Amino acid sequence: MDVFIIGITGGIGGLLAQRLCSRGDAVHGLVRREDQRAELATRGMDARVGDLSVMTVDQLAAAFGDVDVIVFSAGSNGGSRDITTAIDGDGVVKAIEAARFAGVERFVLVSVLPESWRERDLGEEVEYYFAVKKGADVAVSRSDLNWLILRPSLLLDGPGTGTVSLGPAELHGEITRDDVAATLAELLHEPRIGRQILELDEGSTPIQEAVRANVRS
């Protein structure tokens, strides 16, 4: 499988890239600096240098090339409104258009559980971040692509457990980026899952089993 990851140097994207490479998949991605491209090349990954916020649809489509699936895991993590709009909002819309132009049908978006951080007093920037993420989910779900939206709980670092809770609706808890990446890798290798929104939390079900349970009959 040929996979293009937008956000390949991020917490989830980087872990996903490693897992896919270990499975023998061809991994491509978008980076902002030449030194990042060179470092990924030493690990057998092909990256294109470009800035998602300023690239045109044509330029992004050319970067995608002839891949099987695009994974959008980039994000501003609730930073300034300008960055959130450019990456989490406009960036997703641009990637959808570029995928269509490049003839890539499968598109996977790593989003966020809408309930995340609701126990906290959120500032305006973070509230704006959640609103933009929701808008991106809507844009993906209304596209004509074979899309999948994955909404993980509060993200943690550290080793994963290999077990999760995955389904159309999950309670908001927490989950390691490692388990998110492992779940993504399994979802990418399950072509029967498509045009679905899945939420992901810590749980007791082995990842492969959890993914299979979400295949529609």
Side-chain angles (χ1 to χ4, degrees):
M1 178 180 291
D2 278 12
V3 183
F4 193 101
I5 303 173
I6 300 175
I8 193 171
T9 59
I12 293 174
L15 291 169
L16 174 62
Q18 293 175 28
R19 286 185 173 274
L20 293 175
C21 278
S22 69
R23 297 178 70 141
D25 296 318
V27 178
H28 316 267
L30 184 68
V31 296
R32 298 186 67 176
R33 304 192 312 270
E34 173 60 29
D35 63 307
Q36 294 173 315
R37 186 207 63 76
E39 194 278 329
L40 289 173
T42 65
R43 294 190 281 137
M45 304 177 200
D46 169 51
R48 305 293 176 87
V49 178
D51 185 342
L52 177 64
S53 65
V54 298
M55 294 175 76
T56 66
V57 170
D58 288 351
Q59 289 171 333
L60 189 56
F64 289 160
D66 186 23
V67 296
D68 299 310
V69 57
I70 295 159
V71 178
F72 193 108
S73 65
S76 67
N77 297 318
S80 71
R81 288 194 174 208
D82 288 347
I83 296 175
T84 296
T85 300
I87 302 301
D88 301 280
D90 295 343
V92 173
V93 173
K94 186 186 298 182
I96 293 170
E97 295 174 358
R100 186 181 297 113
F101 188 79
V104 182
E105 294 185 358
R106 291 186 73 195
F107 189 97
V108 178
L109 174 67
V110 180
S111 187
V112 64
L113 267 171
E115 298 85 1
S116 295
W117 296 351
R118 289 309 174 197
E119 71 279 8
R120 308 181 190 183
D121 182 17
L122 301 178
E124 291 184 2
E125 301 298 335
V126 180
E127 289 286 4
Y128 181 75
Y129 167 77
F130 279 106
V132 171
K133 296 293 281 189
K134 181 66 172 186
D137 286 1
V138 172
V140 170
S141 67
R142 290 180 177 175
S143 75
D144 57 359
L145 301 174
N146 181 14
W147 54 267
L148 173 66
I149 298 171
L150 183 66
R151 295 173 171 170
S153 293
L154 178 65
L155 297 171
L156 303 175
D157 291 321
T161 64
T163 61
V164 299
S165 186
L166 177 71
E170 295 291 335
L171 295 174
H172 172 241
E174 56 189 28
I175 190 167
T176 65
R177 289 176 173 83
D178 191 35
D179 279 334
V180 176
T183 304
L184 275 168
E186 290 299 326
L187 286 167
L188 290 172
H189 280 268
E190 180 44 83
R192 293 174 296 176
I193 292 181
R195 302 189 70 81
Q196 292 172 246
I197 297 176
L198 295 176
E199 297 184 343
L200 180 65
D201 193 23
E202 61 185 356
S204 59
T205 305
I207 289 173
Q208 287 185 341
E209 183 180 333
V211 169
R212 287 198 300 268
N214 283 279
V215 174
R216 292 171 173 168
S217 59

